Amino acid sequence: MADLKMRIAKRAAKEIHNGDVVNLGIGLPTMIPKFVPEDIHVTIHSENGFAGLGAAVEHEAHIDTDIIDSSGSYVTTAPHVKHFDSADSFGIIRGGHVDATILGAMEVAENGDIANWIIPGGKVAGMGGAMDLVVGAKKVIVAMIHTQKGKPKIVERCALPLTAEKCVNMIITEMGVMEIRPEGVVVTELHPDYTKEDIQNATACKLIFAPDLKVMEEE
Amino acid sequence: MAINKVITADEAVAGVEDGMTIMVGGFLATGSPEILMDALVRKGVKHLTVIANDGGLAEGQPAIGPGKTARGVGKLLENHMVDHIIASHLGVNPRLNEQFAAGTLTYTLVPQGTLAEKIRASAYGLGGVITPTGVGTPMEFEKDELGRDKITIEIDGKKYLLERPLHADYAFVRASVCDHFGNFMCRKTTKNFNYPMAGAADHTIVAAEQVVNVGEVDPDMFDISGVLVDYVVEGEPKWQI
C-alpha cells in the first residue's frame, strides 16, 4: 500500500507547475513535495495562516512554537513566506489564488461532486477548511487509492454528504489518471499493472477511455 | 495620553456569566489566550457557548506531551464548562466526542473560511457574508447555530449561501505584542482567529506575551487597532513544549 501511495504522490507531483501555489490535504498529499523537481518553484499554502511552507522541523532545538501547519505539526517556512490570519487565508482560497488543491476523498462522483468530510453516525470531526478549498482552488485534484478495500469510491452519485458539488477536475489513483469532463470520467493514463476491464470493474460509474490513452509511469 | 487598558486576568473575566457566548482565538490552541482560559476555570462559569476554530488540545495529547495540562478551549472542555461549541473542526480533542456521546455538549459545524468571515462580519458591521462555500452540502440544508434556515442567493446565475454574523459577549484573543491602548500584533501562525475576533463581541480582551508602553514601538508593527480592544492582560506565556 505504501508503494501504491508513493506511485500516486509521484504522479500527482507532475501536476505542479513552476510558480504554482498549492494546498495539500492530510495523509498521502503531504508526500507529494518530495517528488517535485528542484527547478519547479512551488509555494505551499497552509490554511491555518501562511503561504510558503518549508520542511518539517528535524531537531527540537529548531522549533518555533509560533509556527504550526494545519495539522498542528511544527514546521519551517520558505524564505518568501507570508503569514496571515484565517480570514485572509480563506480569502486567498475562495478568491482563486490557489492554483491547485490536492486532497483525498471518500467518494467522487462522475459529475465532479466530492464527499470527504463526514460519515453519518461516526465520530464528529468537521470539515475544517475542506469545503472552502474545493470550492475556491482553481484545480481540484483527488489523489487516493482507487477503492476502499475493494468498494468503489468513484461512483455515479455520492451517497455520503457532499463537501462540494461539481468541483473535482482530476483523479489520480494507483490504477490510472482520470479527468472529469462534461462527457464524464475520462481515463487519460492507465497503469501497466491493470487492464481497461480492471479499472472499470473497480469503478461504479462508466469510464470513457481517451483516444490517446497513455501509460501511467511505472513504479 | 492614551488610556491604559491593562487589568488582571481575573478582573478581565469578572463579567463572564453562566450561559454567555464567548469567542476564543487559536488554532489547535496555537495562539489561544491561556491565562484567560485559566481565569475562566478559576471563576468556574458554566453552560458557555464557545465560538472557536476547534476544541483546543486535551490533557496529555501527543502535541503537548504526557501529563501536560489541556490547552486553549481544551481547558474549558476538561472542566465541563461548555454546553455548545461553534467550530470548523472537532476531531482532535477527544473530550469533544466524549461529551457529545454523553449528551452534555452539542455543536454547530461551520466551514473554516465561513467561520472566519461570520466573525469578521460581526466585528466590521456587515449584515452577513455571501459565500459559494457549502452550496449543495449539509451547510445549505441544515439549520445554523441559532436554529435558523439558511438563505441561498443567486447572483448572475451562481448560487451562494448567505451566512449571518457571529457575535459574542466576550472575545478572548492572544497577542505576541500589545501596547497599553490595545494595539496589537500576533507572530507567525498565531494570528489565525485572533485578528477577526477582535471587536466581534461586546467586550474584547487581549492577553499579551509582551505589553509595551504607547509609543514604545513603531505603530506599523501593529496589525490590529486598540480601538477594537477593551482590556489588555499581561503575562501570557510563550508556548512551552
Side-chain angles (χ1 to χ4, degrees):
Chain A
M1 189 69 90
D3 289 349
L4 297 181
K5 286 183 177 175
M6 197 92 84
R7 175 195 298 167
I8 297 166
K10 201 169 178 182
R11 177 60 187 80
K14 287 186 180 174
E15 295 303 313
I16 296 176
H17 309 292
N18 196 32
D20 275 359
V21 179
V22 301
N23 185 296
L24 303 173
I26 54 167
L28 190 161
T30 59
M31 297 161 64
I32 295 168
K34 67 177 173 199
F35 297 116
V36 177
E38 271 183 26
D39 59 340
I40 301 286
H41 183 273
V42 56
T43 299
I44 301 175
H45 176 278
S46 186
E47 66 269 21
N48 62 307
F50 60 102
L53 178 71
V57 184
E58 285 181 17
H59 303 288
E60 200 168 298
H62 298 156
I63 289 175
D64 179 339
T65 55
D66 285 344
I67 310 177
I68 58 164
D69 66 9
S70 51
S71 69
S73 303
Y74 298 117
V75 290
T76 63
T77 48
H80 68 294
V81 70
K82 177 72 182 96
H83 299 273
F84 28 71
D85 68 50
S86 298
D88 285 356
S89 182
F90 282 90
I92 285 170
I93 291 167
R94 282 190 316 271
H97 310 289
V98 171
D99 295 292
T101 184
I102 308 177
L103 70 179
M106 299 172 189
E107 287 178 329
V108 180
E110 61 185 346
N111 67 347
D113 288 357
I114 180 171
N116 71 347
W117 72 283
I118 192 169
I119 298 173
K123 284 214 162 156
V124 180
M127 72 294 286
M131 287 189 180
D132 300 278
L133 274 161
V134 294
V135 164
K138 276 189 209 156
K139 188 170 185 182
V140 175
I141 301 170
V142 171
M144 64 177 188
I145 296 292
H146 202 95
T147 66
Q148 175 68 31
K149 293 173 183 155
K151 187 171 178 269
K153 293 163 75 177
I154 303 167
V155 296
E156 277 181 11
R157 279 184 78 85
C158 294
L160 293 167
L162 297 186
T163 309
E165 295 176 322
K166 303 185 185 76
C167 62
V168 176
N169 302 103
M170 178 180 267
I171 308 168
I172 301 171
T173 75
E174 75 281 15
M175 302 182 95
V177 178
M178 289 140 278
E179 290 180 13
I180 308 272
R181 296 184 191 164
E183 63 268 33
V185 182
V186 179
V187 183
T188 57
E189 295 176 29
L190 183 64
H191 191 272
D193 284 358
Y194 307 95
T195 64
K196 287 181 180 179
E197 289 70 30
D198 290 334
I199 193 169
Q200 179 62 75
N201 290 340
T203 307
C205 66
K206 192 181 178 320
L207 294 174
I208 300 160
F209 291 89
D212 58 342
L213 181 66
K214 293 183 179 65
V215 177
M216 186 179 177
E217 192 179 310
E218 202 151 357
E219 184 73 39
Chain B
M1 183 74 184
I3 59 162
N4 185 341
K5 298 180 183 174
V6 178
I7 58 172
T8 68
D10 291 311
E11 286 168 347
V13 304
V16 181
E17 294 168 11
D18 289 358
M20 278 190 167
T21 298
I22 66 167
M23 282 180 188
V24 183
F27 188 103
L28 295 174
T30 288
S32 287
E34 299 295 344
I35 52 173
L36 299 176
M37 297 300 101
D38 293 336
L40 285 170
V41 171
R42 281 197 297 276
K43 187 171 161 63
V45 282
K46 302 277 185 198
H47 309 300
L48 296 172
T49 292
V50 169
I51 301 167
N53 180 60
D54 52 73
L57 297 171
E59 198 170 298
Q61 275 200 273
I64 44 179
K68 297 273 180 71
T69 56
R71 299 269 172 98
V73 174
K75 287 175 174 164
L76 309 181
L77 293 167
E78 214 78 53
N79 289 283
H80 300 274
M81 294 161 64
V82 187
D83 280 5
H84 188 74
I85 184 163
I86 300 166
S88 82
H89 201 273
L90 300 169
V92 175
N93 185 335
R95 295 295 97 76
L96 292 159
N97 271 282
E98 288 168 16
Q99 294 178 21
F100 298 149
T104 57
L105 180 64
T106 55
Y107 62 89
T108 304
L109 284 168
V110 183
Q112 208 167 106
T114 302
L115 183 66
E117 288 299 341
K118 279 166 75 78
I119 291 165
R120 201 177 171 283
S122 160
Y124 293 96
L126 297 175
V129 180
I130 297 168
T131 177
T133 303
V135 170
T137 78
M139 294 304 105
E140 178 181 344
F141 309 115
E142 290 179 1
K143 309 251 186 220
D144 77 358
E145 62 282 349
L146 291 179
R148 300 168 294 200
D149 286 328
K150 290 291 176 63
I151 298 169
T152 58
I153 293 179
E154 198 172 300
I155 302 173
D156 296 337
K158 191 174 170 184
K159 196 170 167 185
Y160 297 87
L161 298 186
L162 191 155
E163 296 278 2
R164 296 171 175 92
L166 265 178
H167 191 80
D169 295 298
Y170 278 82
F172 295 116
V173 303
R174 182 194 193 279
S176 302
V177 183
C178 183
D179 73 11
H180 287 164
F181 182 65
N183 296 312
F184 75 93
M185 66 80 71
C186 299
R187 285 186 74 240
K188 312 291 171 75
T189 63
T190 69
K191 294 175 180 61
N192 54 59
F193 281 81
N194 289 307
Y195 285 5
M197 283 180 179
D202 291 348
H203 310 278
T204 297
I205 317 287
V206 177
E209 260 184 64
Q210 190 187 355
V211 175
V212 297
N213 292 316
V214 166
E216 197 176 326
V217 299
D218 183 346
D220 266 350
M221 187 181 148
F222 296 119
D223 292 322
I224 303 296
S225 170
V227 164
L228 302 170
V229 174
D230 297 285
Y231 292 107
V232 175
V233 177
E234 289 184 278
E236 176 66 24
K238 189 153 184 64
W239 178 287
Q240 300 296 319
I241 299 171

